[in-house]
Amino acid sequence: EMLRSLVGSEMCIETGIKALNEYIADKKDDLASFDNESVTIANKTKAQYEAELANAQEALKGYQAAFDALNKAKDELIAAITK
C-alpha cells in the first residue's frame, strides 16, 4: 500500500517535471525571439520572460528534489520489504 502511494506520487512529480521542462523550453524559445530590450511579446518584456524562466527553473529544482527524495524512500522501502 505504501509503495503504491510512493509510486503514484512519483508519477505525479514526473508529470510536473515534464511540464516544467516544456515550459522552460518555450520560454527559452521566446527569449531567443527578442532582438532588443524594448521589444515586447504578448505584452511582456524580455526582463519579464527572464524572470518567469528563472522562477520555473527554481520550481524545477524543487520538483527534482522531491522526486529524488521519493525515489530514495521507495528504494529503502523495497529493501526493507525484500529482507
Side-chain angles (χ1 to χ4, degrees):
E1 181 77 27
M2 187 183 262
L3 186 57
R4 275 188 287 223
S5 176
L6 288 173
V7 170
S9 296
E10 179 183 34
M11 290 171 60
C12 288
I13 292 172
E14 280 181 319
T15 301
I17 288 171
K18 181 180 177 187
L20 273 171
N21 277 322
E22 290 171 2
Y23 178 81
I24 288 169
D26 288 344
K27 288 295 172 190
K28 286 181 178 180
D29 288 344
D30 290 342
L31 279 170
S33 300
F34 283 97
D35 56 358
N36 65 50
E37 299 295 322
S38 63
V39 173
T40 62
I41 297 175
N43 296 321
K44 294 181 183 176
T45 65
K46 183 177 181 180
Q48 288 170 314
Y49 272 94
E50 289 170 336
E52 289 176 357
L53 177 60
N55 288 337
Q57 289 170 325
E58 282 301 310
L60 182 59
K61 288 178 188 176
Y63 270 88
Q64 192 62 55
F67 184 76
D68 293 344
L70 271 173
N71 272 328
K72 182 179 178 189
K74 183 180 75 175
D75 292 344
E76 290 172 354
L77 184 58
I78 290 169
I81 291 170
T82 57
K83 279 188 175 184

